[in-house]
Amino acid sequence: MMYVIIWSMGLALMVSIMLMMLCTMISKTSKKDREKMSPFECGFDPKSSARSPFSIQFFLIAVLFLIFDIEIAIMLPIILTLKLSMTKMWIMTISLFVFILVMGLYHEWKNGVLEWAK
């Protein structure tokens, strides 16, 4: 029984190593073909640093999108609970949830997160 486990582990290891070696042989790129490896973007110097300044506004808009996307994903299953719960309590829960969302959006708007040009 122990030999079967050791044999299968060895076989799995050998297959993994063979696949890694095969992938490295297939993916070798030619050192001679430097022109094809250079970036094809107009106006960018490929020798400079990849850490260019990034506008925080793009990041904030992306975070806002993710927040509202997740909130919509949370609201969709709530619709299915309508027939299982009391209507008045369901409406109060949904209203409170939407009110919190709108107040968060208002807070972000007042803090200037949504202002693109300053």
Side-chain angles (χ1 to χ4, degrees), residues 9-110:
M9 286 175 57
L11 182 65
L13 184 66
M14 298 240 324
V15 167
S16 299
I17 290 172
M18 286 175 30
L19 284 174
M20 285 190 285
M21 288 174 52
L22 181 68
C23 286
T24 54
M25 285 190 295
I26 291 174
S27 68
K28 291 272 184 187
T29 56
S30 172
K31 300 271 187 208
K32 300 179 231 172
D33 209 2
R34 239 171 204 256
E35 194 61 39
K36 285 187 180 178
M37 295 300 289
S38 67
F40 186 70
E41 294 163 352
C42 188
F44 293 106
D45 183 18
K47 306 284 190 261
S48 67
S49 174
R51 302 272 185 207
S52 61
F54 181 72
S55 174
I56 195 70
Q57 199 70 31
F58 290 111
F59 177 74
L60 291 175
I61 296 296
V63 168
L64 282 175
F65 172 76
L66 285 175
I67 289 171
F68 281 100
D69 193 39
I70 290 171
E71 290 164 353
I72 289 173
I74 290 172
M75 285 180 72
L76 286 176
I78 292 176
I79 295 170
L80 298 174
T81 63
L82 174 61
K83 60 183 171 188
L84 301 175
S85 63
M86 296 186 314
T87 307
K88 187 176 183 180
M89 188 65 163
W90 186 84
I91 289 174
M92 285 176 43
T93 304
I94 292 295
S95 299
L96 180 66
F97 187 75
V98 171
F99 178 73
I100 291 171
L101 291 180
V102 169
M103 290 310 296
L105 183 62
Y106 177 73
H107 175 71
E108 290 163 354
W109 185 19
K110 284 307 235 182

